[in-house]
Amino acid sequence: MTTRRTRPAPRPPEGTPPRTELARQARAVLADAVRIAHWAAGTPGPGTAAPLAAHALERAATALELSPAQVRAGWDRARLAGLIELHGDTARPGWRLRAWDRDDSAVLRGWVALFDAWSLVHAAPADIEAGAVAEAVEAVPQVLSLLQLSAGPVTVPALLDLLGQRVAELQEERCEVPLGPGRTAPAAPAESDAPAVTAARTAPAESAAGPDRSAGLNALLLDWALEGLAAVGALTLGQGHATLTPLGNWAVWVKLEQICVAAQSPAGNIEQSAADMLLGCARLSPGPARDEYRAWLAARTVGSAVAELLAVARGEDALLRGLAFEALRVVGAPAEPEVRAVLTEPSLRPYGLLWLAEYEGNDPDDAQDVLSREEATWLWVDTAAAVADHGETGLLVRHLDSAVQGTVPALLDEVRAVGHPRTVQVLVALAAAHPDPALAKAVRRAAFQVHTGGA
């Protein structure tokens, strides 16, 4: 018998402020967003989840004494940080807003959600193709790591060199041909008012790129990334250099620690496929499972991780489908577009609706309200299939209590009509597990009717 050695709780880098001070700084970054969230929660019909409606924008600017641009930016930040939830044209306070003044952990989680969504907060220049933007987003973690490890200002030329190297690596991994002679070069980037931007364009690093004509594009992308990270309070820009703020330094350290913890994990989930990682987490309680999800995600690009999780969710194993969406909850804002896209897929729609409801601030206990009766019934069958495949018979019997229908006959009628591919197997397993002979007989009859196509 071996003794499992636990890793001591890591300590933040020397000089990192205590959590109370970090939370104070996060509250300062999100001050306008909190004000707008309070205003929206108390105002009927503020607008839709897209940009705030024009009439509401004017009302908010007047009421809060902010410019329309400040209101629009605060509205987007409030949504990304989970401060408000939207139901049609009605905005409600999210759980983080309700806990904002008393819960430092909720504040820091809200700010980290904003930090993770920096590329949504600060839109990329419209004239840059989506592929180049995606490569820059994938390369930014390395830029942040350099800033964190340097523990002080880093020159923009050094950051530009690192960004260029990482983008080249990504292109090589995808077997792409870098931009060079004979191919159309990007337009020269326009001048900017930001000091760091100007420095990047006059720095020696640009000439050091040699014949690679994509250096100008990389400089423009770096400018965009630094400005976006500065906009969420992760770093500050000086004359030709960038420096992580205490909040940014702490957030990057946390993400690096997640990778280190995973690398030392005896289970080795960091190296597993999404399916194997999820199966490895199936027996863990929610807290440790989320830690494993974070570590696995930290070792991958967001886009590839989300795609792999959704691919698993589309499989036949209902347990993995549910766990995949639990892992996507850890991803947060960057996964929102992909989750919205799966709402057209019947097998994933209930999970996607619940994910979006909780992402937008719904209390998990109330999130089920977003499902139609048919969607709730489909999800009941899918969850029962997961229990039948991986759980104990007692759990399957207790699962009856979670059905939205008030009686077993009503449940059976709606289960027969919902068309889940595992309906027969679920009903057969439930009949075999239930101790009440009369109820078990009714469930077996329903299973036979579904199997034969009878009424």
Side-chain angles (χ1 to χ4, degrees), residues 407-423:
T407 65
V408 171
L411 170 65
L412 295 178
D413 286 343
E414 295 186 32
V415 163
R416 285 199 296 264
V418 80
H420 193 290
R422 295 290 304 278
T423 298

Side-chain angles (χ1 to χ4, degrees), residues 46-54 72 75-76 79:
T48 65
L52 194 60
R72 191 177 294 108
W75 173 261
D76 290 340
R79 290 179 53 236

Side-chain angles (χ1 to χ4, degrees), residues 375-453:
E375 290 160 353
T377 302
W378 195 99
L379 183 61
W380 185 91
V381 178
D382 206 48
T383 305
V387 174
D389 290 343
H390 300 277
E392 301 173 357
T393 56
L395 290 176
L396 190 59
V397 173
R398 291 196 292 275
H399 185 55
L400 272 174
D401 297 334
S402 67
V404 296
Q405 294 78 8
T407 65
V408 171
L411 170 65
L412 295 178
D413 286 343
E414 295 186 32
V415 163
R416 285 199 296 264
V418 80
H420 193 290
R422 295 290 304 278
T423 298
V424 172
Q425 295 95 321
V426 164
L427 293 178
V428 169
L430 180 59
H434 207 283
D436 184 335
L439 190 147
K441 181 178 180 180
V443 174
R444 278 194 298 272
R445 185 184 304 115
F448 177 76
Q449 291 170 341
V450 174
H451 179 62
T452 59

Side-chain angles (χ1 to χ4, degrees), residues 102-358:
R102 56 179 169 78
D103 188 341
D104 288 347
S105 293
V107 172
L108 290 173
R109 285 195 295 269
W111 182 83
V112 169
L114 183 70
F115 169 68
D116 288 338
W118 67 266
S119 60
L120 303 178
V121 172
H122 186 64
D127 56 346
I128 299 181
E129 65 178 23
V133 172
E135 287 174 347
V137 173
E138 287 189 54
V140 160
Q142 279 70 30
V143 172
L144 289 169
S145 296
L146 175 60
L147 285 162
Q148 198 272 338
L149 294 172
S150 299
V154 179
T155 64
V156 171
L159 297 175
L160 181 59
D161 184 57
L162 178 60
L163 180 75
Q165 290 179 34
R166 182 57 184 147
V167 168
E169 290 172 359
L170 292 170
Q171 292 173 343
E172 185 177 352
E173 289 170 6
R174 298 186 179 104
C175 299
E176 295 179 1
V177 179
L179 188 64
R183 301 183 65 196
T184 303
E191 288 301 319
S192 168
D193 293 332
V197 177
T198 304
R201 302 212 169 71
T202 58
E206 189 168 348
S207 61
D212 185 358
R213 295 166 65 189
S214 66
L217 176 61
N218 286 341
L220 185 59
L221 288 167
L222 178 65
D223 294 341
W224 165 66
L226 294 179
E227 290 165 2
L229 291 163
V232 299
L235 55 78
T236 58
L237 297 175
Q239 185 63 43
H241 64 265
T243 309
L244 284 178
T245 63
L247 272 173
N249 187 68
W250 167 78
V252 177
W253 170 78
V254 168
K255 294 178 184 297
L256 290 172
E257 273 300 312
Q258 289 170 355
I259 297 174
C260 293
V261 169
Q264 297 185 24
S265 169
N269 281 323
I270 191 173
E271 299 176 357
Q272 302 297 322
S273 66
D276 290 341
M277 180 274 294
L278 293 172
L279 282 175
C281 296
R283 296 289 181 182
L284 298 177
S285 58
R290 283 192 293 270
D291 289 340
E292 289 292 319
Y293 300 152
R294 290 189 185 98
W296 185 85
L297 291 164
R300 289 158 177 78
T301 62
V302 173
S304 64
V306 170
E308 192 174 349
L309 289 170
L310 287 176
V312 171
R314 293 186 177 97
E316 297 181 356
D317 194 323
L319 176 66
L320 293 186
R321 186 158 31 253
L323 291 175
F325 277 86
E326 287 299 318
L328 287 169
R329 284 178 173 84
V330 175
V331 178
E336 181 187 6
E338 287 77 7
V339 173
R340 287 194 185 279
V342 305
L343 297 184
T344 59
E345 302 177 39
S347 65
L348 301 187
R349 179 176 172 80
Y351 292 97
L353 289 171
L354 291 176
W355 189 98
L356 289 167
E358 293 184 30

